[in-house]
Each structure stands twice: as structure tokens, then as C-alpha cells.
Amino acid sequence: MAKLHENTATELLRMLSAGETTPVEVMATYLERIGKLEPKIHALTFVNKDAALKEAERAAKELKGAKGKKKPLLGMPIVVKECISTTGIQTTCCSKILQGYIPPYDATVVTRLKQAGAIIIAKSNMDEFAMGSSTERSCYGPTMNPWDVNRVPGGSSGGSGAAIAAREAPLALGSDTGGSIRCPAAYCGVAGIKSTYGRVSRYGLVAYANSLEQIGPITITARDSAMLLEVIAGKDIADSTSVDVPVDKYSQGIASLEGLKVGIPKEFFGEGLKADVKASVEKAVDKMKELGATTQEVSLPSIKYALPTYYLIAMCEASSNLARFDGLRYGLRVDVPKGNYDAMFSKTRQEGFGPEVRRRIILGTYALSAGYYDMFYVKALKARTIIQDDFKKALAKVDVLVGPTMPTTAFEIGTKVDDPLTMYLEDILTVPINLAGVPSLSVPVGADKAGMPIGMQVMGNFFKEQQVLGVGMALEDVLQFHKKLPPLAGA
Amino acid sequence: MSKKIDENTVAHLAELARITLSDKERKEFAKQLSSILEFFSQISELDTENVKPTYHVVELKNVFREDESREGLSQEAALRNAPQKEKGYFKSPKIVED
């Protein structure tokens, strides 16, 4: 029989319902694993140990009394990224500027998790304010990839990705502005979905680039992601950009891949794509064909402009969103002797923000300033329209698009962190999706020669999460990557 | 479209963004920001004549709701994280010079 932590979240839930395990046993198992594995991978920033155990005891009682209908995630531990507000638990975006900040309210996704019976076991590490693709830029220090601790887990939700890969928890939440869920999912060999913009409430997500980002699941399988998305998705009165479209039964997936039209965007297989990544993705596409799907090449000609378009929009939005960190209302405050408000404001932000955050705020300020606004910001918004049109045209011909999530596999810690542009290039295949606003799932499809995981993106039309996840489920049923654990997490 | 960012521009932008920078950082940022901006400048090739800017990817219509009061954060909760407070207010250094 499989050890408890070797199960998917879906299987664990079944076991809980069937009385084959208890919420207390589940929580104790994962807390013990956290104690053992954290010194090696540093995925977490705060472990909610005592409160989580108490909650598990309460869930155990509730589960015993529940007949028939029970809460969908009752007794399930979940890891929540540091940028998602949790009442009474630190939410720092892994920045010095938010040290000591304890939110007085829950993000809507957290409220929904609690109503569903899930228990926050820990908060997870990230690049400061989600600005990065490696989780090296955290004020708490980097997270290590469980498959090779000399390598990055991807980012910015690298803590959530590593925690799931190492089975420190069965479920996690990340957020994805330009790939921050899909990149760590790919690098850590787990599943993660950025849903359609507006599908999940952003209320309580500390804003970085609000027109691009979505909170979403990072889990062992696509099926687990589907189950978690069902809980957190839906219109929220507190987020005016959330959309009032019914939440489908994502976990039911799709009946089969028979007749599914799959588009292969040729631009995803261009220069810079590692041979092992290409081979694994092509093998997965062959599997889809065996399962009855048909494929055709499609083109997204404008996505070569996606990186500059994305970074311009993200930096402009960041410069505005991060203006709230003024040293007055929360977090760090650095007073200047005899200094006025501006002096305190400016000094606090020098000491509170890391270099990348300051770079992005300053560049965003530049692109929004008089004389450059039309040249950079408005131009980028127009480029966004063109890129979105490319996706709309392609998705009018086919049901889903597939391609590699990342052009390479996880790189070694310290090799890219000092060169901002090189790090931006990591995001070349993930940012177009955020610009378009469509959903994209990353599922593991193999590993390179060194054993590092490879992820494939399944992209679909607006609000077609069920189809995208259904394709992921069909693939994982044949590929079975989730049965393989990183060596350090195995025993 | 390409535009070099020199140290003076960095200093001006940092002032607008309310971020103190050291001399060393100003130099470093001027170099880094110039090369990033050069990279960004490729979007000038893109023909955007008659293209509307996208502010929101999913078209939303204005939504009305009843003007009913709902409970918000208490004053105490809102002030709990403030580094300095006084008499129920956030406390700031002097804003207007004497």
C-alpha cells in the first residue's frame, strides 16, 4: 500500500471520506515531512503548526458527524503563497517592506478554502512581490528544487511548487502574473493552472500587475488542480474584475480526447528550445493522437513581441500598485532624522524593496511619464490587443493549443539572478497567455537527461478550464508522472 | 524610440517614485535600465495603426448593485499594522514645510 504522502489530493480526500485515514493523521504526516524536508528545500516561510493541528482535530470531529454531504476539502492541508492575505498569519510577499505585516482580513480564495474545510498548513516562499522566475529574490533566501537542490524551483511561486513536489502538503495556491504558477509547476514536475483572467477573485492578493494576474492551484495532478479550482473560482463582489460565469465541474474533465482538435503553435518550438524539452512535448502530443486527438500547426505571429509588451505593462502597473508602500500604514518604516514625509517615504522604499522591485518601479515610472506614455505604455496596450487577436484566431480553429511551458529545465541557483534581462527571457512562453487572458495548465510530461522535470502547457479558450484540465487529466492517466517522487522526498 | 537613460534621468525617476538611491545604484541602474529599454524598443516595429488598446482582457459591462452599507474593517483592525499611530490616526512625519 502507498504511504500516505504518496497519494494525490483526490485520493486522500477519498480516503478521508472512507475513514481509511483521519484529518489528524494527515496533518501530522505532512507536518513531520515539513520538519524533515524544510532544511533541504526551504519552500516555506511560516508553518502554521499548532493552529493547523487544532483545526485538524476539529475537522476530524466534523467528518465523523457528517453524513452524506460534507465540505469538499474537509481536513485537507493547503500551502498558501506569501502574497495571498490570511487573517492572523504573515503575508509579506517575501519583502522586507512587509515584515511583520499580519492581515486583518482573508483573501476571498482563503475564505472559500476555509468554508470548504481546508486547513492552512504553511505559507510559501516566492520572489519578492512575485517579480522573478526562480524564487531566488526572496528576503528569506532562495528555495531549492526538490529534484536537485542545486537548482531553482522556478518562480515566482517556487515555494508552492517545491512543497508539492516534495509532498510537504497535498495542495497549494500560487499566483501567476506572467508564468509564476506554470514555471514552478514545470520545473518541479507538478501541475498548475492559470485560469481565465477574472475566473478567480483577486481580492486579498497583494497586487503586482493587476490586469495580468490570477491566483491558482499548484498540485500533484491536473485532477487535483481541477478539484481545487472548483472551490476557489467564481464571481466575487469584492473584486470588480471577477467575472460572473458559472463554475463548471472541472474535476469531471472531458469524456475523451476523441476528435479533440489540438493546435501546435510553431512559435513555441523555435530557437532556444532545449532538445530534451522538445522531445518530451512531442512525445506527449503523440500520446494525445493515440487517444484520438487530431493536431494541426497554427501560428501566433505576434508573440515575438510578447516579452517587451508584458514587461512594459507589468512594470507600469507595478509602479502604480506598489505606491501604497509608504511606511505609514503597514510594514517597514525608516525615519530620517529631521526628515519630512517624502524623506521617510523614499528611505523606507530604498531599504524595504530589493533591487529588482526598485528597477521595475523606476522603469514603470519612466514608461508612464509625460512624453513616454504613448510611446511605451499605450503602445504596449495596443500590442496586447494584437497578441490577444492571435490567440483568438488560433482558438477559433482548434479546441486547445499545446506547447512547452518553459524553453529549458530548471537552471542552477545563482546563474541568472544578477542579470535582469536574462531572467526575463525565461518567461518567453508563459507571458503571452497572461496578455491574452486565456487559461493555461502546465502538466509534467517527462524529464531531461539529468532527471529534471519538463512541463507542457495546455491552453484553451476563455472560460474553457474544464476542457484544458480534462486534457491534462487524460494525459496524466497515461503518463503517470505523478507516481515518481524526487529522491529526497521518496522515503 | 530607443532612448538612453543616464544617471540624471535615473535620479529624477527615483525622486518621482519616492525611492532613495545611492550613487552606486544610480550608475548601475542607468546601465541596466538602458539595456532593458533597448530590448523593449522592439515593439516600435509593430504596426498598431487603428488598433485599440486593451485595458481589460474580458469585456466587462458596468454592474449596478443596491447601495447598501456593509461592515468594513474596524478602526482598530485598520490601525493594527501601523508602525506609528496616535489618537486613532496613522502618524506621519511633517508633510508641509514650515
Side-chain angles (χ1 to χ4, degrees), chain A residues 306-318:
Chain A
L307 264 183
T309 302
Y310 166 81
Y311 273 99
L312 275 166
I313 293 172
M315 287 176 182
C316 288
E317 292 184 8

PDB file of all heavy atoms in Angstrom, chain A residues 306-318:
ATOM      1  N   ALA A 306       5.740  39.566 -27.300  1.00  0.00           N
ATOM      2  CA  ALA A 306       5.047  39.380 -26.016  1.00  0.00           C
ATOM      3  C   ALA A 306       5.909  39.785 -24.822  1.00  0.00           C
ATOM      4  O   ALA A 306       5.407  40.389 -23.870  1.00  0.00           O
ATOM      5  CB  ALA A 306       4.594  37.930 -25.872  1.00  0.00           C
ATOM      6  N   LEU A 307       7.207  39.468 -24.862  1.00  0.00           N
ATOM      7  CA  LEU A 307       8.048  39.778 -23.691  1.00  0.00           C
ATOM      8  C   LEU A 307       8.129  41.280 -23.407  1.00  0.00           C
ATOM      9  O   LEU A 307       7.817  41.698 -22.291  1.00  0.00           O
ATOM     10  CB  LEU A 307       9.450  39.197 -23.866  1.00  0.00           C
ATOM     11  CG  LEU A 307       9.733  37.843 -23.227  1.00  0.00           C
ATOM     12  CD1 LEU A 307      11.192  37.460 -23.453  1.00  0.00           C
ATOM     13  CD2 LEU A 307       9.437  37.824 -21.730  1.00  0.00           C
ATOM     14  N   PRO A 308       8.534  42.109 -24.396  1.00  0.00           N
ATOM     15  CA  PRO A 308       8.551  43.546 -24.100  1.00  0.00           C
ATOM     16  C   PRO A 308       7.168  44.098 -23.756  1.00  0.00           C
ATOM     17  O   PRO A 308       7.045  44.944 -22.871  1.00  0.00           O
ATOM     18  CB  PRO A 308       9.096  44.185 -25.377  1.00  0.00           C
ATOM     19  CG  PRO A 308       9.102  43.133 -26.424  1.00  0.00           C
ATOM     20  CD  PRO A 308       9.114  41.817 -25.725  1.00  0.00           C
ATOM     21  N   THR A 309       6.133  43.590 -24.427  1.00  0.00           N
ATOM     22  CA  THR A 309       4.773  44.061 -24.138  1.00  0.00           C
ATOM     23  C   THR A 309       4.402  43.744 -22.698  1.00  0.00           C
ATOM     24  O   THR A 309       3.925  44.597 -21.945  1.00  0.00           O
ATOM     25  CB  THR A 309       3.762  43.373 -25.098  1.00  0.00           C
ATOM     26  OG1 THR A 309       4.148  43.665 -26.440  1.00  0.00           O
ATOM     27  CG2 THR A 309       2.351  43.848 -24.842  1.00  0.00           C
ATOM     28  N   TYR A 310       4.660  42.499 -22.328  1.00  0.00           N
ATOM     29  CA  TYR A 310       4.341  42.070 -20.965  1.00  0.00           C
ATOM     30  C   TYR A 310       5.102  42.893 -19.931  1.00  0.00           C
ATOM     31  O   TYR A 310       4.526  43.394 -18.970  1.00  0.00           O
ATOM     32  CB  TYR A 310       4.666  40.577 -20.787  1.00  0.00           C
ATOM     33  CG  TYR A 310       4.673  40.166 -19.340  1.00  0.00           C
ATOM     34  CD1 TYR A 310       3.480  39.892 -18.678  1.00  0.00           C
ATOM     35  CD2 TYR A 310       5.865  40.103 -18.613  1.00  0.00           C
ATOM     36  CE1 TYR A 310       3.474  39.556 -17.342  1.00  0.00           C
ATOM     37  CE2 TYR A 310       5.862  39.765 -17.274  1.00  0.00           C
ATOM     38  CZ  TYR A 310       4.673  39.493 -16.634  1.00  0.00           C
ATOM     39  OH  TYR A 310       4.669  39.176 -15.311  1.00  0.00           O
ATOM     40  N   TYR A 311       6.420  43.002 -20.117  1.00  0.00           N
ATOM     41  CA  TYR A 311       7.211  43.678 -19.085  1.00  0.00           C
ATOM     42  C   TYR A 311       6.871  45.159 -18.981  1.00  0.00           C
ATOM     43  O   TYR A 311       6.873  45.724 -17.882  1.00  0.00           O
ATOM     44  CB  TYR A 311       8.710  43.420 -19.286  1.00  0.00           C
ATOM     45  CG  TYR A 311       9.105  42.135 -18.582  1.00  0.00           C
ATOM     46  CD1 TYR A 311       9.243  40.942 -19.266  1.00  0.00           C
ATOM     47  CD2 TYR A 311       9.258  42.124 -17.197  1.00  0.00           C
ATOM     48  CE1 TYR A 311       9.553  39.758 -18.606  1.00  0.00           C
ATOM     49  CE2 TYR A 311       9.559  40.951 -16.522  1.00  0.00           C
ATOM     50  CZ  TYR A 311       9.710  39.777 -17.229  1.00  0.00           C
ATOM     51  OH  TYR A 311       9.988  38.625 -16.555  1.00  0.00           O
ATOM     52  N   LEU A 312       6.546  45.790 -20.114  1.00  0.00           N
ATOM     53  CA  LEU A 312       6.138  47.194 -20.038  1.00  0.00           C
ATOM     54  C   LEU A 312       4.846  47.346 -19.232  1.00  0.00           C
ATOM     55  O   LEU A 312       4.764  48.173 -18.314  1.00  0.00           O
ATOM     56  CB  LEU A 312       5.958  47.774 -21.446  1.00  0.00           C
ATOM     57  CG  LEU A 312       7.249  48.287 -22.075  1.00  0.00           C
ATOM     58  CD1 LEU A 312       7.073  48.514 -23.567  1.00  0.00           C
ATOM     59  CD2 LEU A 312       7.702  49.584 -21.390  1.00  0.00           C
ATOM     60  N   ILE A 313       3.856  46.535 -19.560  1.00  0.00           N
ATOM     61  CA  ILE A 313       2.573  46.637 -18.842  1.00  0.00           C
ATOM     62  C   ILE A 313       2.764  46.295 -17.361  1.00  0.00           C
ATOM     63  O   ILE A 313       2.295  47.013 -16.475  1.00  0.00           O
ATOM     64  CB  ILE A 313       1.507  45.722 -19.489  1.00  0.00           C
ATOM     65  CG1 ILE A 313       1.162  46.243 -20.892  1.00  0.00           C
ATOM     66  CG2 ILE A 313       0.249  45.651 -18.631  1.00  0.00           C
ATOM     67  CD1 ILE A 313       0.272  45.321 -21.709  1.00  0.00           C
ATOM     68  N   ALA A 314       3.491  45.213 -17.097  1.00  0.00           N
ATOM     69  CA  ALA A 314       3.686  44.779 -15.712  1.00  0.00           C
ATOM     70  C   ALA A 314       4.428  45.842 -14.893  1.00  0.00           C
ATOM     71  O   ALA A 314       4.071  46.121 -13.744  1.00  0.00           O
ATOM     72  CB  ALA A 314       4.447  43.456 -15.677  1.00  0.00           C
ATOM     73  N   MET A 315       5.440  46.444 -15.483  1.00  0.00           N
ATOM     74  CA  MET A 315       6.211  47.441 -14.737  1.00  0.00           C
ATOM     75  C   MET A 315       5.397  48.712 -14.490  1.00  0.00           C
ATOM     76  O   MET A 315       5.477  49.309 -13.422  1.00  0.00           O
ATOM     77  CB  MET A 315       7.496  47.777 -15.481  1.00  0.00           C
ATOM     78  CG  MET A 315       8.527  46.645 -15.416  1.00  0.00           C
ATOM     79  SD  MET A 315       9.972  47.042 -16.418  1.00  0.00           S
ATOM     80  CE  MET A 315      10.946  45.550 -16.189  1.00  0.00           C
ATOM     81  N   CYS A 316       4.609  49.114 -15.488  1.00  0.00           N
ATOM     82  CA  CYS A 316       3.759  50.294 -15.302  1.00  0.00           C
ATOM     83  C   CYS A 316       2.750  50.042 -14.178  1.00  0.00           C
ATOM     84  O   CYS A 316       2.566  50.888 -13.294  1.00  0.00           O
ATOM     85  CB  CYS A 316       3.020  50.638 -16.595  1.00  0.00           C
ATOM     86  SG  CYS A 316       4.117  51.317 -17.861  1.00  0.00           S
ATOM     87  N   GLU A 317       2.110  48.882 -14.226  1.00  0.00           N
ATOM     88  CA  GLU A 317       1.126  48.571 -13.186  1.00  0.00           C
ATOM     89  C   GLU A 317       1.802  48.447 -11.822  1.00  0.00           C
ATOM     90  O   GLU A 317       1.267  48.876 -10.802  1.00  0.00           O
ATOM     91  CB  GLU A 317       0.353  47.293 -13.547  1.00  0.00           C
ATOM     92  CG  GLU A 317      -0.546  47.515 -14.760  1.00  0.00           C
ATOM     93  CD  GLU A 317      -1.414  46.312 -15.125  1.00  0.00           C
ATOM     94  OE1 GLU A 317      -1.454  45.330 -14.351  1.00  0.00           O
ATOM     95  OE2 GLU A 317      -2.053  46.363 -16.185  1.00  0.00           O
ATOM     96  N   ALA A 318       3.002  47.868 -11.804  1.00  0.00           N
ATOM     97  CA  ALA A 318       3.720  47.711 -10.537  1.00  0.00           C
ATOM     98  C   ALA A 318       4.058  49.072  -9.937  1.00  0.00           C
ATOM     99  O   ALA A 318       3.928  49.278  -8.725  1.00  0.00           O
ATOM    100  CB  ALA A 318       4.999  46.900 -10.752  1.00  0.00           C
TER     101      ALA A 318
END
